[in-house]
Amino acid sequence: MKKQLAGICFLSMFFATTCATGSGKGEPTRLLGQENQIRVDAEVIAPTLTTAAVVLISYDVHNLREAPIAIADMVPYTSYDSETQTVTVSFGAEVPGNQLLPRLLLIPAGEKRTFRSKAQLNFLVTEQHLSPPRYLQLRVNVLEHVTPFKDLLDISETAISNAKLAEELFPKWIEHNVTIRTNSMPVRWQPSTTPFQGPTPPRRGRTGLP
């Protein structure tokens, strides 16, 4: 009971901070997605977006499978599809680089893990984007088999350097990746006069996951 109350208090403080840091007033919108017995349950407050916006997101990854899964512990990145007018915030979209491998966070069978993160919009809406953003969705990538990645599970470092292991794990990472997409939430776009701060930190992966 104490844990539940602590969780409720934290979420209340989390979303109060969201409103106070420029995301605008509004109620949290719930986003849901499920794939291969892995469910994502998220809450986002982002009624208005600008090129300098930082969106605060809380999401749970529920492992409904009978075996553990894992997610790469990486800074999320954003992309924009002008055709669908959708901003996508991607989590865990990481593959081994030529040498560096990210830490993996384990989610045991039948359990869930909660993540809280900040996502900065790393694109400019220019004349090339004839249609401004109208929607936002989340995309969460997880590894459905963890045995090949045991050396990266819940390690103390954010990444390790091992060129041989990176080469070995690259095809397995692609093979065992599962992508969960949530439904979209409507957003309002407001052109910003704040200078563009540049993209989020580059991913360590060779190409990143689609």
Side-chain angles (χ1 to χ4, degrees):
M1 183 66 180
K2 290 183 178 179
K3 290 184 178 179
Q4 291 178 338
L5 289 174
I8 293 172
C9 291
F10 184 93
L11 280 175
S12 298
M13 295 174 62
F14 178 82
F15 288 117
T17 302
T18 302
C19 294
T21 53
S23 294
K25 296 180 180 180
E27 295 297 322
T29 298
R30 189 180 183 191
L31 300 181
L32 299 171
Q34 183 166 326
E35 186 72 31
N36 289 10
Q37 293 185 293
I38 303 169
R39 187 172 78 242
V40 172
D41 189 341
E43 286 190 315
V44 182
I45 298 179
T48 302
L49 297 183
T50 71
T51 54
V54 175
V55 180
L56 299 185
I57 301 168
S58 173
Y59 67 101
D60 296 329
V61 178
H62 300 254
N63 181 10
L64 307 177
R65 303 159 66 95
E66 296 181 354
I69 59 176
I71 181 171
D73 183 20
M74 293 296 301
V75 174
Y77 73 95
T78 57
S79 58
Y80 177 56
D81 184 344
S82 59
E83 183 174 344
T84 61
Q85 295 179 264
T86 301
V87 175
T88 300
V89 182
S90 297
F91 297 92
E94 181 64 275
V95 294
N98 293 325
Q99 185 156 335
L100 290 176
L101 302 103
R103 170 173 56 201
L104 295 177
L105 303 178
L106 185 70
I107 307 174
E111 297 187 17
K112 74 173 182 178
R113 193 159 183 168
T114 300
F115 301 89
R116 297 175 180 86
S117 185
K118 296 180 180 180
Q120 181 181 1
L121 303 192
N122 62 347
F123 58 86
L124 280 171
V125 177
T126 64
E127 292 180 356
Q128 295 178 351
H129 297 134
L130 301 180
S131 303
R134 293 184 58 193
Y135 307 100
L136 182 145
Q137 71 170 183
L138 306 185
R139 182 174 60 189
V140 179
N141 294 276
V142 303
L143 293 168
E144 60 178 345
H145 297 295
V146 302
T147 302
F149 313 100
K150 59 182 180 358
D151 294 334
L152 304 175
L153 294 173
D154 290 316
I155 58 177
S156 58
E157 306 92 334
T158 56
I160 62 174
S161 178
N162 188 323
K164 181 179 179 181
L165 184 60
E167 187 67 28
E168 176 186 339
L169 291 182
F170 180 76
K172 296 178 182 179
W173 204 291
I174 301 299
E175 177 185 357
H176 297 306
N177 177 74
V178 173
T179 300
I180 302 98
R181 297 175 185 268
T182 70
N183 59 299
S184 299
M185 62 178 282
V187 293
R188 294 193 300 271
W189 177 256
Q190 178 178 322
S192 175
T193 57
T194 304
F196 184 54
Q197 299 298 317
T200 50
R203 289 168 285 158
R204 298 189 187 93
R206 307 177 190 214
T207 59
L209 294 166

